[in-house]
Structures are given as C-alpha cells and as structure tokens.
Amino acid sequence: MQQTEKGTVVSSHFTPEDRRFLLDLRRSLHRAPELSWQEHGTRERLRAALHACGVTDIVDVADTGLVARVPGSANGSANGSAKGGASGGSRVPTVAVRGDIDALPITELTGLPFASETPGVMHACGHDMHATWAVGAAMLLARQPAPGDVRIVLQPAEEVGEGAAKVLASGALDDVQAIFGAHVDWRFNVGEVVADSGPLAASTDTFSVTFTGRGGHGARPQDAIDPIVGLGSFVMEVQTIVSRRLDPALPGVITVGTIEAGNAANVIPETATCTGTVRATTISSRQLLLSELKTMAESIAVAHRLTAVVVFSEGTPPLVNSVRGAEWAKSSARALLGDAALRSLAVANMGGEDFSFYLERMEGCFMRVGTLRSGAESIGVHNPRFDPDEEALFVGTALLATCARTASAALANGG
C-alpha cells in the first residue's frame, strides 16, 4: 500500500502500462460522451478495451450495453457465453460488477485538455470513471481470477433509470448471485469508501395531479369552480404527509416541481395541474407516501368541489445494500486500503440509482468511492465543472475486482 498526496492507492495492483491504459480509456470516454440509449460509440470503445485486456466472451445487451464473462479459476475457460457461462459439471457461483456508461445533457466548463467534444453533453456524473473501473476490474480478474465466473456489466441509460431493468430482462445475469458497483463521491477523499448495509439511495417516483373545476370570468368567481385554489391548497398540504404521516426516523421527500394553470389574468381556468417527485428509502415508506398523496389530492378536490386525477410514473426502487454484500465490500476495502478508509454517509442520499433493480434480485453492495482532490473545491456531480481526481480510477478498479473475488470465494465456501 502506498500513501500519496492524492490518497491511499494499492500501487502493487497496477503496472505503469496499466495506469496509462486506464487513464487513456477514461479520457477517451470523457472526450466523447453519449446520452442514454445513444451509447453506440461508447460501447465499441469499451468492447475494444475489454479485448485489449484479453476478455473476449462478450454479448450485447440492452440495446447499447455489454456484458462480458471473465472465467473463474474453478470453472476454467470453457466456451461458455456471457449469458449462462460454460455448461456441465458443478460450478462455483457467478458474481458481477457493474459500470454505467451514459452521460448528461450538460455543457462542460472544466477546461480540461480532454473535455467533451460533443456539444451540450458531458460525463458530469462520473460514468466515464465507473465504466473504466469495470473494465479495469476485468483486467485484474483476467490475471488473478475469482473462484467463479465474473460478469462485467457495462450498462446504458442509468441517468433515465431504465438500463438496469433492461439488462436484467435480457437474461444475461440470470445465474448471478451477487453484484457490486460504485459511484464517484466528491465529498470523500481519494482512498475513502462507503460500503454500508441498508438504504443508500431513494426511490424516484413521479406524479401528476390535475384538478378540474368550472371555468369563468375572474370578476365573478361565484359562478366558477376554481381549480387553482384547490391546487394551491394541495401544494401546501402535501408537505404534511412527510411531516405528519411518515415516521420521523425515515427520510422522505415530496417535491412539486411544475405548476400549470390558465393563460389569462381575468379568466378562471377549467383545470390546474402540478407534477413532482416522491422519494423514499424503504418499500413501506414509498407505498405510504404514494398512497397518502393520492388520498390527499382526492380529499382536497372534494373540499373544493373539484375532481382530481392522480397519475404516478414508477421510477427506480430504493437502493438497499444486503448485509452480506456490504460485509464482503467492507472486508475488500479494508484489505486494500485499511480500516480508516471506511466511511459512512452523514445524511440520507435521496438521489436515485437504478442499481437498485439488481439488488431486488440478488445480494450485493453499491459503494461510494471518494474522488475529492487534495486542496480542491468540492464540486458535486451534475455540475459543468465536475472534475474527479483520476487517482480514484485505481481505487475503484481494485475495489471492484477485490469485491468480486471476496464474494465469489465466500459463496463457493457456502458463506
């Protein structure tokens, strides 16, 4: 283990050529970002990088994604595909690591020499780092395999919350028993890792509420049934669901993001609509918030002589790390970086992450990996100046590879 001014890095895992390979890959991805479901060029760069690492058992999944197979030491290199692996005989359980690959519709302002060359698109959420971690993990696992096969998941469309579900629907992970992934985190130093069990990200449902009344002249409200008044009451009262119906120990958010009603100052409109988002960190609190929101909208409509139509759009579920998955991740982080590397989130993360779909199907852990540059201003993701410390490339890569080996060995031994 080597201490540097940029954090703690397990330098023995990487040759100078490895470091250059990973840096070049990350920068090439950053220079040519692609939005969700448009990651065609990104996929081909990642395919070529996997081939360069000696990983050639690759299948296309989810329109613009890839899943590769790195054979385990106990399973050998039989001609199995990435969907299902080699056939025949007793096999060590399969685990997976995931890197998401899509970018955001943001104009980059970092001034980096490898800044985005695609107008209005930027890797402002670190998915260029995540994808490089996954390829780097494949490189390390090809040299020092886990006992069982490891799937390398290069997943599209995380930013729109759709890619993970489509990967699962492909069947490429049907035999996977545990999965690991990680996200860059600008709040922690390079060499620090969050690998807690339990909730790590929130559900991301959206809603639309339309109140319908009777239009009329603004000077004669007694002749109309004003939907704006009902909508105004709903916008204020809906906040009491979190403050008075949800257990104070559980995080929850209801945010109204848009309001639309009327088009003239002296006209009471027929309808008034608002849309927003609902965030929760447990399945039960998610159900509570959605149910209470619908009840409140309909009750307010009755009180104001209106009708209400409530429509929900289901987003990603809460991301909940399993106990065993988190323990495998923690032991991996300790082995690589020492006990002091492990940190915990100070507050609940109410952002969403579609890795949650994987954790509904299998054990695993989604981690946060520190990317704060020593002495630099802490600028978060989804910001046009987001610039993570590239030294974190090597931490995330080694961490995912070690998690895969740790979980594979534990599952092979029935633990």
mmCIF file of all heavy atoms in Angstrom, residues 6 12 32 34 36 40 48 66 108 138 143 146 153 172 185 194 207 228 279 299 306 312 333 355 370 377 379 392:
data_model
loop_
_atom_site.group_PDB
_atom_site.id
_atom_site.type_symbol
_atom_site.label_atom_id
_atom_site.label_comp_id
_atom_site.label_asym_id
_atom_site.label_seq_id
_atom_site.Cartn_x
_atom_site.Cartn_y
_atom_site.Cartn_z
ATOM 1 N N LYS A 6 -2.471 12.293 -3.003
ATOM 2 C CA LYS A 6 -3.838 12.215 -3.505
ATOM 3 C C LYS A 6 -4.644 11.110 -2.833
ATOM 4 O O LYS A 6 -5.765 10.853 -3.204
ATOM 5 C CB LYS A 6 -3.832 12.003 -5.011
ATOM 6 C CG LYS A 6 -3.251 13.188 -5.779
ATOM 7 C CD LYS A 6 -3.383 12.976 -7.259
ATOM 8 C CE LYS A 6 -2.902 14.209 -8.014
ATOM 9 N NZ LYS A 6 -3.053 14.073 -9.455
ATOM 10 N N SER A 12 0.586 -1.750 -6.018
ATOM 11 C CA SER A 12 1.114 -3.027 -6.497
ATOM 12 C C SER A 12 0.180 -3.708 -7.484
ATOM 13 O O SER A 12 0.588 -4.633 -8.181
ATOM 14 C CB SER A 12 1.382 -3.963 -5.307
ATOM 15 O OG SER A 12 0.173 -4.234 -4.615
ATOM 16 N N ALA A 32 -15.754 11.891 -25.519
ATOM 17 C CA ALA A 32 -16.823 11.557 -26.468
ATOM 18 C C ALA A 32 -18.046 11.006 -25.741
ATOM 19 O O ALA A 32 -18.451 9.855 -25.948
ATOM 20 C CB ALA A 32 -16.318 10.548 -27.497
ATOM 21 N N GLU A 34 -21.935 10.206 -24.554
ATOM 22 C CA GLU A 34 -23.184 9.953 -25.266
ATOM 23 C C GLU A 34 -24.327 9.827 -24.266
ATOM 24 O O GLU A 34 -24.157 9.269 -23.182
ATOM 25 C CB GLU A 34 -23.068 8.681 -26.108
ATOM 26 C CG GLU A 34 -22.039 8.809 -27.236
ATOM 27 C CD GLU A 34 -21.826 7.512 -27.989
ATOM 28 O OE1 GLU A 34 -21.500 6.491 -27.341
ATOM 29 O OE2 GLU A 34 -21.993 7.510 -29.216
ATOM 30 N N SER A 36 -28.167 8.740 -22.747
ATOM 31 C CA SER A 36 -28.838 7.456 -22.527
ATOM 32 C C SER A 36 -29.458 6.922 -23.811
ATOM 33 O O SER A 36 -30.108 7.669 -24.556
ATOM 34 C CB SER A 36 -29.934 7.630 -21.472
ATOM 35 O OG SER A 36 -29.394 8.101 -20.260
ATOM 36 N N HIS A 40 -23.612 4.159 -28.542
ATOM 37 C CA HIS A 40 -23.070 3.226 -29.535
ATOM 38 C C HIS A 40 -21.545 3.322 -29.621
ATOM 39 O O HIS A 40 -20.844 2.306 -29.606
ATOM 40 C CB HIS A 40 -23.706 3.506 -30.903
ATOM 41 C CG HIS A 40 -25.191 3.378 -30.910
ATOM 42 N ND1 HIS A 40 -25.840 2.164 -30.907
ATOM 43 C CD2 HIS A 40 -26.171 4.331 -30.896
ATOM 44 C CE1 HIS A 40 -27.149 2.354 -30.907
ATOM 45 N NE2 HIS A 40 -27.373 3.665 -30.903
ATOM 46 N N ALA A 48 -13.531 -2.732 -27.291
ATOM 47 C CA ALA A 48 -12.119 -2.779 -27.679
ATOM 48 C C ALA A 48 -11.219 -2.832 -26.447
ATOM 49 O O ALA A 48 -10.202 -3.548 -26.438
ATOM 50 C CB ALA A 48 -11.776 -1.564 -28.534
ATOM 51 N N LEU A 66 -23.132 -3.832 -22.811
ATOM 52 C CA LEU A 66 -22.340 -5.056 -22.954
ATOM 53 C C LEU A 66 -22.339 -5.819 -21.636
ATOM 54 O O LEU A 66 -22.365 -5.220 -20.560
ATOM 55 C CB LEU A 66 -20.881 -4.736 -23.292
ATOM 56 C CG LEU A 66 -20.544 -4.020 -24.592
ATOM 57 C CD1 LEU A 66 -19.064 -3.641 -24.584
ATOM 58 C CD2 LEU A 66 -20.870 -4.902 -25.785
ATOM 59 N N GLU A 108 -19.946 21.194 -20.808
ATOM 60 C CA GLU A 108 -18.793 21.121 -19.916
ATOM 61 C C GLU A 108 -18.061 22.456 -19.823
ATOM 62 O O GLU A 108 -17.841 23.142 -20.828
ATOM 63 C CB GLU A 108 -17.824 20.031 -20.383
ATOM 64 C CG GLU A 108 -16.615 19.865 -19.469
ATOM 65 C CD GLU A 108 -15.884 18.550 -19.660
ATOM 66 O OE1 GLU A 108 -16.352 17.711 -20.464
ATOM 67 O OE2 GLU A 108 -14.843 18.367 -19.014
ATOM 68 N N ALA A 138 -12.099 -6.103 -14.899
ATOM 69 C CA ALA A 138 -11.964 -7.243 -15.807
ATOM 70 C C ALA A 138 -10.495 -7.554 -16.074
ATOM 71 O O ALA A 138 -10.082 -8.727 -16.117
ATOM 72 C CB ALA A 138 -12.692 -6.953 -17.119
ATOM 73 N N ARG A 143 -6.201 -11.614 -14.870
ATOM 74 C CA ARG A 143 -4.866 -12.009 -14.405
ATOM 75 C C ARG A 143 -4.929 -12.858 -13.148
ATOM 76 O O ARG A 143 -4.160 -13.808 -12.979
ATOM 77 C CB ARG A 143 -4.039 -10.763 -14.100
ATOM 78 C CG ARG A 143 -3.705 -9.921 -15.300
ATOM 79 C CD ARG A 143 -2.968 -8.676 -14.857
ATOM 80 N NE ARG A 143 -2.772 -7.753 -15.962
ATOM 81 C CZ ARG A 143 -2.385 -6.503 -15.817
ATOM 82 N NH1 ARG A 143 -2.152 -6.020 -14.610
ATOM 83 N NH2 ARG A 143 -2.220 -5.731 -16.869
ATOM 84 N N ALA A 146 -11.266 -14.738 -9.902
ATOM 85 C CA ALA A 146 -12.064 -15.172 -8.762
ATOM 86 C C ALA A 146 -12.299 -16.672 -8.898
ATOM 87 O O ALA A 146 -12.097 -17.247 -9.973
ATOM 88 C CB ALA A 146 -13.392 -14.419 -8.752
ATOM 89 N N VAL A 153 -20.583 -5.933 -16.286
ATOM 90 C CA VAL A 153 -21.785 -5.299 -16.827
ATOM 91 C C VAL A 153 -21.474 -3.838 -17.153
ATOM 92 O O VAL A 153 -21.146 -3.052 -16.266
ATOM 93 C CB VAL A 153 -22.945 -5.361 -15.819
ATOM 94 C CG1 VAL A 153 -24.210 -4.758 -16.418
ATOM 95 C CG2 VAL A 153 -23.186 -6.793 -15.358
ATOM 96 N N ALA A 172 -29.011 -11.983 -19.164
ATOM 97 C CA ALA A 172 -27.552 -12.106 -19.083
ATOM 98 C C ALA A 172 -27.049 -12.290 -17.662
ATOM 99 O O ALA A 172 -25.918 -12.738 -17.460
ATOM 100 C CB ALA A 172 -26.892 -10.875 -19.710
ATOM 101 N N ASP A 185 -17.717 9.911 -5.463
ATOM 102 C CA ASP A 185 -18.282 10.775 -4.423
ATOM 103 C C ASP A 185 -17.313 11.896 -4.103
ATOM 104 O O ASP A 185 -16.221 11.668 -3.584
ATOM 105 C CB ASP A 185 -18.605 9.980 -3.159
ATOM 106 C CG ASP A 185 -19.600 10.719 -2.269
ATOM 107 O OD1 ASP A 185 -19.333 11.904 -1.945
ATOM 108 O OD2 ASP A 185 -20.637 10.137 -1.912
ATOM 109 N N VAL A 194 -17.466 4.258 1.103
ATOM 110 C CA VAL A 194 -18.692 3.987 1.853
ATOM 111 C C VAL A 194 -19.240 2.654 1.367
ATOM 112 O O VAL A 194 -19.486 2.483 0.166
ATOM 113 C CB VAL A 194 -19.741 5.097 1.652
ATOM 114 C CG1 VAL A 194 -21.043 4.735 2.362
ATOM 115 C CG2 VAL A 194 -19.209 6.435 2.141
ATOM 116 N N PHE A 207 -45.181 12.109 -10.037
ATOM 117 C CA PHE A 207 -46.630 12.179 -10.024
ATOM 118 C C PHE A 207 -47.122 13.377 -10.822
ATOM 119 O O PHE A 207 -46.404 14.363 -11.029
ATOM 120 C CB PHE A 207 -47.168 12.278 -8.590
ATOM 121 C CG PHE A 207 -46.804 13.549 -7.873
ATOM 122 C CD1 PHE A 207 -47.600 14.694 -7.978
ATOM 123 C CD2 PHE A 207 -45.665 13.612 -7.078
ATOM 124 C CE1 PHE A 207 -47.277 15.863 -7.319
ATOM 125 C CE2 PHE A 207 -45.327 14.789 -6.415
ATOM 126 C CZ PHE A 207 -46.130 15.919 -6.536
ATOM 127 N N ILE A 228 -57.487 26.445 -9.352
ATOM 128 C CA ILE A 228 -56.210 26.982 -8.859
ATOM 129 C C ILE A 228 -56.202 27.032 -7.335
ATOM 130 O O ILE A 228 -55.182 26.763 -6.699
ATOM 131 C CB ILE A 228 -55.947 28.370 -9.461
ATOM 132 C CG1 ILE A 228 -55.714 28.243 -10.968
ATOM 133 C CG2 ILE A 228 -54.747 29.041 -8.786
ATOM 134 C CD1 ILE A 228 -55.475 29.566 -11.679
ATOM 135 N N ARG A 279 -39.740 10.708 -3.017
ATOM 136 C CA ARG A 279 -38.531 9.941 -2.697
ATOM 137 C C ARG A 279 -38.692 9.268 -1.335
ATOM 138 O O ARG A 279 -39.146 9.893 -0.372
ATOM 139 C CB ARG A 279 -37.294 10.860 -2.660
ATOM 140 C CG ARG A 279 -37.084 11.694 -3.934
ATOM 141 C CD ARG A 279 -36.729 10.819 -5.113
ATOM 142 N NE ARG A 279 -36.638 11.552 -6.357
ATOM 143 C CZ ARG A 279 -35.494 11.818 -6.994
ATOM 144 N NH1 ARG A 279 -34.340 11.423 -6.479
ATOM 145 N NH2 ARG A 279 -35.503 12.463 -8.144
ATOM 146 N N SER A 299 -59.148 14.178 -1.565
ATOM 147 C CA SER A 299 -59.882 14.818 -0.474
ATOM 148 C C SER A 299 -59.963 16.321 -0.668
ATOM 149 O O SER A 299 -61.018 16.946 -0.428
ATOM 150 C CB SER A 299 -59.217 14.498 0.867
ATOM 151 O OG SER A 299 -59.223 13.106 1.118
ATOM 152 N N LEU A 306 -64.139 20.052 -6.685
ATOM 153 C CA LEU A 306 -63.380 19.741 -7.893
ATOM 154 C C LEU A 306 -63.328 18.232 -8.085
ATOM 155 O O LEU A 306 -63.723 17.452 -7.217
ATOM 156 C CB LEU A 306 -61.944 20.272 -7.774
ATOM 157 C CG LEU A 306 -61.769 21.751 -7.476
ATOM 158 C CD1 LEU A 306 -60.335 22.032 -7.029
ATOM 159 C CD2 LEU A 306 -62.108 22.587 -8.710
ATOM 160 N N PHE A 312 -49.327 8.294 -11.368
ATOM 161 C CA PHE A 312 -47.966 8.034 -10.910
ATOM 162 C C PHE A 312 -47.156 7.382 -12.029
ATOM 163 O O PHE A 312 -47.685 6.544 -12.776
ATOM 164 C CB PHE A 312 -47.949 7.103 -9.693
ATOM 165 C CG PHE A 312 -48.538 7.704 -8.454
ATOM 166 C CD1 PHE A 312 -49.733 7.219 -7.930
ATOM 167 C CD2 PHE A 312 -47.901 8.754 -7.812
ATOM 168 C CE1 PHE A 312 -50.285 7.770 -6.792
ATOM 169 C CE2 PHE A 312 -48.444 9.315 -6.665
ATOM 170 C CZ PHE A 312 -49.639 8.822 -6.152
ATOM 171 N N ALA A 333 -12.518 -3.508 1.069
ATOM 172 C CA ALA A 333 -11.960 -2.170 1.251
ATOM 173 C C ALA A 333 -10.887 -2.168 2.329
ATOM 174 O O ALA A 333 -9.837 -1.518 2.186
ATOM 175 C CB ALA A 333 -13.065 -1.183 1.596
ATOM 176 N N PHE A 355 -29.178 0.862 -9.990
ATOM 177 C CA PHE A 355 -28.545 -0.336 -9.435
ATOM 178 C C PHE A 355 -29.507 -1.034 -8.475
ATOM 179 O O PHE A 355 -29.374 -2.231 -8.210
ATOM 180 C CB PHE A 355 -27.257 0.062 -8.712
ATOM 181 C CG PHE A 355 -26.335 -1.077 -8.384
ATOM 182 C CD1 PHE A 355 -25.387 -1.510 -9.302
ATOM 183 C CD2 PHE A 355 -26.386 -1.713 -7.152
ATOM 184 C CE1 PHE A 355 -24.523 -2.562 -8.992
ATOM 185 C CE2 PHE A 355 -25.535 -2.759 -6.842
ATOM 186 C CZ PHE A 355 -24.589 -3.187 -7.773
ATOM 187 N N GLY A 370 -14.439 7.809 -2.856
ATOM 188 C CA GLY A 370 -14.001 9.193 -2.776
ATOM 189 C C GLY A 370 -13.190 9.631 -3.986
ATOM 190 O O GLY A 370 -12.314 8.905 -4.452
ATOM 191 N N GLU A 377 -11.643 22.516 -4.420
ATOM 192 C CA GLU A 377 -13.009 22.798 -4.041
ATOM 193 C C GLU A 377 -13.876 21.570 -4.311
ATOM 194 O O GLU A 377 -13.707 20.885 -5.316
ATOM 195 C CB GLU A 377 -13.542 23.974 -4.865
ATOM 196 C CG GLU A 377 -14.976 24.352 -4.558
ATOM 197 C CD GLU A 377 -15.505 25.447 -5.471
ATOM 198 O OE1 GLU A 377 -14.751 25.884 -6.368
ATOM 199 O OE2 GLU A 377 -16.664 25.861 -5.278
ATOM 200 N N ILE A 379 -16.759 20.101 -5.725
ATOM 201 C CA ILE A 379 -17.806 20.370 -6.711
ATOM 202 C C ILE A 379 -18.495 19.050 -7.031
ATOM 203 O O ILE A 379 -17.850 18.083 -7.429
ATOM 204 C CB ILE A 379 -17.218 20.984 -7.986
ATOM 205 C CG1 ILE A 379 -16.599 22.357 -7.662
ATOM 206 C CG2 ILE A 379 -18.286 21.121 -9.060
ATOM 207 C CD1 ILE A 379 -15.910 23.003 -8.836
ATOM 208 N N ALA A 392 -8.516 8.197 -8.247
ATOM 209 C CA ALA A 392 -9.605 7.314 -7.823
ATOM 210 C C ALA A 392 -9.895 6.215 -8.843
ATOM 211 O O ALA A 392 -10.570 5.230 -8.520
ATOM 212 C CB ALA A 392 -10.870 8.126 -7.567
#
